[in-house]
Amino acid sequence: MHLLNDLIAPNEYFYARLPINQIPLGEILLKDELFFTVPENWHVIVTDIKGSTEAVAAGLHQQINLVATGSTVASLNIAFNKGIAIPFFFGGDGATFLVPASLKEELLKSLQLYKHNTMINTHLELRVGEVFVQQIYAAGFKLRLSKFGSSD
């Protein structure tokens, strides 16, 4: 385990405390010591629009991106309002977030409300899922992060 992992307590500020690497991305990917284990008490939250491929083919590309962006904005706003930085990946028809336990319930509640409103207003089904990081580790997988900065 990396020494800095011990300095970055497994709490809600884990991501904010990660060092930003400003070396080429390819170099980061080759250096195991630049990656840090996600705290086991964090959660992975995923949003995804059911049938998005078909919806895009039917000309609903903008609506798909709007709904997916909305789930991202809602989640990031909640985290920002609590002063907590969270990592996320936007996938075009949904997003994946890593969140501390202190944010999980509020994010899921907000996303369920957003899911309901999305269905009423767009007839698109937003799926919302969650898995405890501890379950990922119990299944024998690793979950590690590094930060990359391309500019100041």
Side-chain angles (χ1 to χ4, degrees), residues 72-132:
T72 302
V73 170
S75 298
L76 293 178
N77 279 344
I78 289 169
F80 179 80
N81 287 336
K82 302 279 186 189
I84 300 171
I86 59 171
F88 71 96
F89 173 79
F90 180 76
D93 70 341
T96 303
F97 310 92
L98 286 169
V99 303
S102 63
L103 290 179
K104 182 190 96 159
E105 291 304 322
E106 187 173 354
L107 254 66
L108 287 174
K109 183 178 177 182
S110 174
L111 289 170
Q112 288 299 332
L113 177 60
Y114 183 66
K115 172 183 177 169
H116 176 75
N117 290 335
T118 295
M119 180 59 83
I120 290 170
N121 294 306
T122 67
H123 305 290
L124 293 170
E125 183 181 346
L126 180 69
R127 298 183 286 193
V128 178
E130 174 265 326
V131 68
F132 197 25

Side-chain angles (χ1 to χ4, degrees), residues 60-71:
L60 298 175
H61 185 266
Q62 288 182 341
Q63 291 88 335
I64 296 294
N65 277 326
L66 181 64
V67 169
T69 300
S71 69

Side-chain angles (χ1 to χ4, degrees), residues 7-19 39 41-42 79-87 99-103 147:
L7 300 175
I8 300 172
N11 62 30
E12 57 195 15
Y13 302 108
F14 161 76
Y15 185 66
R17 292 179 179 163
L18 289 181
N41 64 338
W42 278 43
F80 179 80
N81 287 336
K82 302 279 186 189
I84 300 171
I86 59 171
V99 303
S102 63
L103 290 179
K147 274 189 183 175

